[in-house]
Amino acid sequence: MASKLVVITGASSGIGEATAKHYGAAGAHVLLLARNAERLYGVAHAIREAGGTATAFPVDLVGSEAVKALAARIEGEIGTPDLLINNAGAGRWLPLLKTSPDEARTAIDVPYLAAFNVTWAFAPAMIAKRSGGIVFITSPASYMAWPNASTYIAARRALAGFAEALQTELKPTGLFVTLVVLGNVTGTAYWEHNPGSREHLLSTNPTLIPDLTAEQAAKVIFDGAEGRRRYIVAPWPYRVLFLLNALFPNATASQIRRIAKKAREDAR
Ligand SMILES: NC(=O)c1ccc[n+]([C@@H]2O[C@H](COP(=O)([O-])OP(=O)(O)OC[C@H]3O[C@@H](n4cnc5c(N)ncnc54)[C@H](OP(=O)(O)O)[C@@H]3O)[C@@H](O)[C@H]2O)c1
């Protein structure tokens, strides 16, 4: 494993917690970032109990100066990370008319600005070292759209655009950038953290597109990053949907509207 020192954002729950445990079990020193100190220390403790090395750094990633100060502290006390995993995410799925400007701003704050702040703060030392990588976790929203989640979808496009731009910009520096697109991941706290969202989730055929567990998602992220892959989509049939959407946007949109209408009728 190339990544010995790994920063993971959103490590206090869900996919980030599972990824931190996966890297911890594989022998990396994992640096856990999120706001909820109690949960973060709990995850670090669990990793250490299992024989790994983990350090928790409670922080709100929306504050660029706080993130910059934390990056300087980590550089000074521990070292330059080999890998950044930008996983922290939030954002409610709401119809436009129920979305406040504050909700729209929050959706951009995390994941996009949080990922920017972390990348901006750690990149100078990583570039100077000319090694390591940056991972971005996103959802199919980066490449498709459905009703009643417009600010969530807009924020995921910002994140994917940032990641794709860095793939080309950072190539000459020796850093790699991995973009991981995950379908529905069960057993995380995303719907609890973002109330009113789950009812706008469209069901997919579980035979064609199965849900992932957080542990499966963590393995996808680990394999993708350690294999220095550029672009991972899991489960893979989402690639077919992205292609159909690009080739036949009207037909795909009308099919998605039909599924959304049926979901609304079933929910009544
Ligand atoms: N669950 C899915 O089906 C799914 C599918 C595809 C992609 N994703 C993406 O995967 C990522 C993780 O999702 P999840 O399902 O694991 O959700 P989750 O359990 O709600 O985890 C979100 C994480 O982000 C952290 N976070 C939120 N705002 C933050 C802030 N301002 N500063 C620091 N940390 C912050 C949270 O920690 P604190 O509250 O402690 O700060 C938490 O650890 C998200 O980006 C999500 O969009 C999820």
Side-chain angles (χ1 to χ4, degrees), residues 10-16 33-36 59-62 87-90 110-111 137-140 152 156 182-186 188-191 193-194:
S12 62
S13 84
I15 298 166
L33 276 53
R35 292 166 303 178
N36 187 325
V59 62
D60 186 339
L61 298 170
V62 174
N87 161 78
V110 192
I137 312 302
T138 189
S139 89
Y152 172 89
R156 264 57 191 178
L182 300 170
N184 193 35
V185 180
T186 56
T188 81
Y190 193 87
W191 306 116
H193 287 158
N194 300 280

Side-chain angles (χ1 to χ4, degrees), residues 159-173:
L159 186 72
F162 181 51
E164 287 173 7
L166 292 185
Q167 281 176 331
T168 181
E169 181 175 330
L170 295 182
K171 183 92 176 152
T173 70

Side-chain angles (χ1 to χ4, degrees), residues 159-232:
L159 186 72
F162 181 51
E164 287 173 7
L166 292 185
Q167 281 176 331
T168 181
E169 181 175 330
L170 295 182
K171 183 92 176 152
T173 70
L175 265 62
F176 68 90
V177 176
T178 299
L179 181 54
V180 181
V181 183
L182 300 170
N184 193 35
V185 180
T186 56
T188 81
Y190 193 87
W191 306 116
E192 286 155 44
H193 287 158
N194 300 280
S197 303
R198 187 177 214 143
E199 39 273 54
H200 302 299
L201 177 68
L202 303 189
S203 60
T204 48
N205 182 326
T207 311
L208 289 178
I209 307 185
D211 290 344
L212 301 169
T213 63
E215 289 69 29
Q216 286 170 327
K219 183 169 180 339
V220 166
I221 293 166
F222 180 91
D223 290 347
E226 295 313 304
R228 295 178 160 239
R229 298 264 303 278
R230 184 183 168 88
Y231 183 60
I232 315 282

